[in-house]
Amino acid sequence: MLILVLNAGSSSLKYQLIDVETAEVKANGLCERIGIDGVMKHEIAENRKLTIDHPMPTHKEAIEFMLNILTQNDTKVIENIDEISAIGHRVVHGGEYFKESTIIDKNVIQKIERLIPLAPLHNPAHLLGIKICQELMPEKPNVAVFDTAFHQTMPEENYLYAVPHEDYTEHKLRKYGFHGTSHYYVSNEAIKMLQKEQSKVIVCHLGNGSSICAVKDGKSIDTTMGLTPLEGLMMGTRSGDIDAGVIPYLLEKKDMDANQIIDYLNKKSGILGVSGISSDLREVIKAAKDGDQRANICIEMMCNRIRKYICSYAGVLGGVDAICFTAGIGENADIIREKVCSGLEFIGVEIDKNKNKIREKTNREINKTDSKTKIFVIPTNEEFVIAQDTYKLVKA
Ligand code: ADP
């Protein structure tokens, strides 16, 4: 069964065509600069990569063009669109409405719309993607898979903020958490590797956006991102945790308004703001190696905060069987994994420095043989989870 997985952003569209029974990715790609000029980066099996400039005034032209590329001429991987059984959409915010993935109907669309104030950049773009698919392929089922759903198992004491309670009951002000699809996939893989009935797993999803999740017996019980993805770790361009008193201070000192401050904390802070070099950690690591002081401090700050959360989640879980690293930084930056783990021997974490340096795109264990806590590197695969959930719901 072929599932088309879509992740529609405000000016971009990521897609994968997956055979869910064999896990084969038939084609994948990214349309960028939608509404500006339009460029598609497309990849077909066996590493055939293409970059095509094509006008994409709206998401509709982008999706139409993608369907053409999948079905026509020398780029075709299917004879026609009928071979696609269903479409799985990544949706960032499912609020308290969605505890799992769901088939999309009018009611689901209304709820995703109602959640726009909580995800003003993401949910409108997802809705566009859904509506265009319904228009272009009216007979095909659409499924929504939410970034927040996996964290809906968090207990109240972990998701409430310490503010007046009526703001939770009236305005749904609480921690939701994100990257849920990735935390689910990685913790599930870790549980298989542990071969344990009951498990305490900490997943570190370290990419441009980063979050950590405490997973007990397969369920999320705490996570670092909050009402929005701004809370928690220091990220590519996001500050992560910060004293809320910073906001009025900046309002006055820099004559900013609320939107400018949110922009400053979301887009100008984190690795970019501290290093003054880039939000791309590879460039910062290189500068640190060349002796750049700020780059060095930036890396130490980042690792320090990851270590703090690992310890705090070991406390929340009452121990830890495995720490997992995933996403761009977690999967590739051995130097970060080594720094994070050193100093954690007191909770049974002992990294094997040689195993840590091995580069592979597979699940692997990088702890010393006698380390009480396992350390896993597990490449994430959110698209596959979306395809699987879509398949299960459509089949049912
Ligand atoms: P996104 O959150 O956009 O999906 P990714 O998961 O792709 O991001 O992660 C992007 C981050 O991973 C960037 O900061 C990039 O520098 C970092 N990264 C990728 N490869 C390496 C590497 N070999 N060493 C260090 N950092 C890396």
Side-chain angles (χ1 to χ4, degrees), residues 73-114:
N73 304 326
D74 66 330
T75 57
K76 88 169 157 196
V77 288
I78 49 176
E79 287 302 321
N80 64 56
I81 297 170
D82 292 342
E83 288 179 46
I84 301 172
S85 297
I87 303 134
H89 298 263
R90 177 202 179 211
V91 178
V92 162
H93 221 303
E96 286 189 336
Y97 293 124
F98 300 105
K99 301 193 187 320
E100 49 197 31
S101 305
T102 181
I103 299 236
I104 298 172
D105 58 16
K106 271 194 189 141
N107 183 26
V108 170
I109 289 187
Q110 276 171 4
K111 286 179 174 151
I112 299 173
E113 271 166 0
R114 251 179 254 154

Side-chain angles (χ1 to χ4, degrees), residues 104-159:
I104 298 172
D105 58 16
K106 271 194 189 141
N107 183 26
V108 170
I109 289 187
Q110 276 171 4
K111 286 179 174 151
I112 299 173
E113 271 166 0
R114 251 179 254 154
L115 291 165
I116 288 176
L118 288 173
L121 296 179
H122 292 100
N123 277 20
H126 305 322
L127 282 165
L128 254 181
I130 292 167
K131 287 176 182 166
I132 294 163
C133 287
Q134 287 177 329
E135 188 189 322
L136 295 176
M137 298 172 274
E139 71 294 352
K140 291 194 201 306
N142 288 272
V143 167
V145 179
F146 302 91
D147 263 25
T148 47
F150 181 61
H151 302 300
Q152 281 293 302
T153 48
M154 283 191 289
E156 228 178 339
E157 62 269 27
N158 292 350
Y159 71 67

Side-chain angles (χ1 to χ4, degrees), residues 14 205-209 279-282 285 327-329 332-333 359:
K14 274 192 199 158
H205 177 112
L206 311 175
N208 251 326
S279 63
D280 187 322
L281 188 68
R282 282 167 290 203
I285 291 175
I329 296 170
N332 299 302
R359 292 202 162 210

